[in-house]
Amino acid sequence: MPDVPLNATLSKPKATLSCLHCGTPFHSSEREEEFCCSGCRFVFHLLHKRGLEDFYQYGETKSPVGTAVFQDRDLDWLTKLQSESENQAQGDTAELTLQVQGISCAGCVWLLEAVFAEHPGAVSAEVNSSAGTIRLRWKSGHCQLGNYAQDAGRFGYLLGPLGSTQPSGMRPLVRKLGLCGALALNAMLFALPRYLGLQPGEAFASLFEGIAFAIATLSILIGGTYFFRRAVAALGHGELHIDLPISIGLAVAYGGSVIAWQAGRASFAYFDFVSIFTFLMLLGRWLQERAVEQNRNRLLEIRLTPGDVSVLRNGLESEAPSTSLVTGERFHVKRGQLVPVRSRLLEGPAVFAMNWINGEPAPRTHTTGGSVCSGARSLSPGLLAFVA
């Protein structure tokens, strides 16, 4: 057995555990740890406190909650939508369809409907898990949808306006992509004999060249014009867009191939390249737009606001807008609230969520005197004291 230095520190082995709320495996050196994140711990205890533990009987594919349950949101948009829906309602029952984020299993559907039923004036809630929407019906003037949105947020579900996640016009791009994909395949098919040794002037050589020219022309008309129009529009606004070099490349390749073909230099006519390049550029643009669309669907146009903070002025502590803070003032931030400006922590240690700033899921701990960046969300219980 090897000798171990007396001053060596033996670290506890990390055990693989499963979160009691979402079932996500995680590693921890603390055997008594039961949750993968503070959000799952919060929701687990909240469900049992309100008698909604039947949630765990529906499905097993629940997602970690993270810090979503501690986020404060501006719900003025929902108050306006509710007012409009009640004004347009025929009778005493109004309805509104909203986008909902966070649905991962049948239990989520049951929970969203059960929580809404607890609110005064609620009539029904119908969740469409495939579309990510919820249809709410309530008695006009007797229900506050803002309270329900906040309540759903405590369980990790974010509500947003339906219009914020509607398709942004990708169908025309998809059609162009499909057509140009078919044209590119045919272009490769008719160009193959030339790469296998078919010489100009031999049988069918001129026929294949004419077909390749027609396919390249269709590719330019269908797919190339997508980039041409966007490049011209950007130039009209005095901007250089990424579509400009793509357009130049397509125009030069197509024009050069046409000139070489007309001059009898078929070996310099790359009509197949024009078709394939057009398809690949459209494919790249579709992947980009798809990623942007997915990100847009996750952002439900819900603004995060620091809100008012408790500020110490002239020996008295009072609530004041975070925008009124000046350098050197002392203020307090409560659990779940954003730190409005870069400040120095007076009483530590304290835990902050930084995931929506730097993308790191793990909370960050700051000690007394540490500098906390603007936008950090407090996960510590009670009030935290800062100096701006």
Side-chain angles (χ1 to χ4, degrees):
M1 180 175 178
D3 295 333
V4 179
L6 295 178
N7 60 350
T9 302
L10 298 179
S11 60
K12 297 181 179 179
K14 292 186 177 181
T16 301
L17 308 174
S18 296
C19 180
L20 287 184
H21 174 70
C22 64
T24 301
F26 66 98
H27 299 283
S28 176
S29 58
E30 301 295 334
R31 294 286 180 175
E32 64 273 11
E33 184 63 47
E34 299 176 319
F35 303 95
C36 65
C37 63
S38 57
C40 284
R41 179 187 294 108
F42 176 85
V43 173
F44 179 85
H45 292 299
L46 183 61
L47 287 169
H48 285 76
K49 180 179 179 181
R50 295 179 56 168
L52 298 172
E53 58 269 17
D54 289 346
F55 168 76
Y56 297 103
Q57 298 179 5
Y58 299 89
E60 299 179 355
T61 57
K62 302 171 180 62
S63 301
V65 178
T67 60
V69 295
F70 304 118
Q71 297 178 359
D72 299 325
R73 293 180 172 83
D74 183 1
L75 297 174
D76 290 342
W77 59 268
L78 184 54
T79 303
K80 296 177 182 178
L81 289 180
Q82 180 178 0
S83 178
E84 294 175 359
S85 299
E86 293 181 352
N87 293 335
Q88 299 172 2
Q90 298 179 354
D92 61 347
T93 302
E95 67 177 48
L96 178 64
T97 301
L98 298 173
Q99 199 79 17
V100 58
Q101 174 186 319
I103 299 176
S104 60
C105 64
C108 299
V109 175
W110 174 85
L111 183 59
L112 284 166
E113 296 176 351
V115 170
F116 183 69
E118 295 180 350
H119 286 259
V123 175
S124 66
E126 300 175 5
V127 177
N128 186 336
S129 58
S130 60
T133 60
I134 181 171
R135 182 184 180 189
L136 304 176
R137 299 179 70 246
W138 69 95
K139 294 182 180 179
S140 298
H142 295 83
C143 184
Q144 294 295 328
L145 296 187
N147 294 338
Y148 170 64
Q150 292 178 348
D151 204 6
R154 295 188 184 98
F155 292 97
Y157 304 103
L158 309 182
L159 302 184
L162 184 63
S164 64
T165 57
Q166 293 304 296
S168 60
M170 286 184 60
R171 286 187 178 180
L173 179 58
V174 172
R175 286 195 294 266
K176 291 178 181 293
L177 178 63
L179 291 173
C180 287
L183 292 172
L185 290 174
N186 283 277
M188 290 189 292
L189 176 64
F190 287 101
L192 184 60
R194 191 183 70 178
Y195 290 111
L196 293 179
L198 182 66
Q199 298 298 322
E202 295 184 6
F204 300 108
S206 59
L207 175 62
F208 289 161
E209 293 170 2
I211 294 176
F213 164 72
I215 293 175
T217 302
L218 289 175
S219 297
I220 289 295
L221 293 177
I222 295 173
T225 52
Y226 172 84
F227 300 102
F228 296 157
R229 287 195 299 266
R230 296 166 66 91
V232 172
L235 289 175
H237 291 86
E239 300 174 353
L240 294 178
H241 196 270
I242 186 61
D243 290 329
L244 180 60
I246 296 176
S247 301
I248 294 175
L250 287 173
V252 170
Y254 178 76
S257 297
V258 171
I259 294 174
W261 182 49
Q262 293 295 329
R265 304 293 297 275
S267 58
F268 293 95
Y270 295 97
F271 292 120
D272 55 327
F273 167 80
V274 174
S275 299
I276 296 172
F277 183 70
T278 303
F279 167 71
L280 292 178
M281 292 299 100
L282 286 174
L283 178 62
R285 182 55 51 84
W286 175 77
L287 291 174
Q288 177 191 11
E289 293 294 333
R290 184 170 177 266
V292 172
E293 189 71 22
Q294 289 178 342
N295 291 335
R296 187 182 296 115
N297 289 343
R298 297 189 186 101
L299 301 175
L300 298 178
E301 288 189 2
I302 302 174
R303 298 185 297 273
L304 303 179
T305 57
D308 294 341
V309 292
S310 181
V311 184
L312 183 62
R313 292 173 178 170
N314 301 323
L316 299 176
E317 192 166 355
S318 59
E319 294 292 324
S322 56
T323 54
S324 66
L325 285 173
V326 297
T327 302
E329 281 190 327
R330 175 170 175 166
F331 64 96
H332 290 91
V333 170
K334 60 184 179 181
R335 179 186 179 94
Q337 191 174 11
L338 296 177
V339 178
V341 296
R342 179 176 289 275
S343 309
R344 181 166 55 89
L345 179 64
L346 295 180
E347 301 173 6
V351 181
F352 298 89
M354 312 285 289
N355 57 330
W356 77 286
I357 299 176
N358 54 22
E360 298 178 0
R364 182 176 298 180
T365 301
H366 290 268
T367 58
T368 301
S371 178
V372 181
C373 68
S374 173
R377 185 178 306 281
S378 171
L379 300 181
S380 299
L383 294 176
L384 297 179
F386 294 88
V387 171

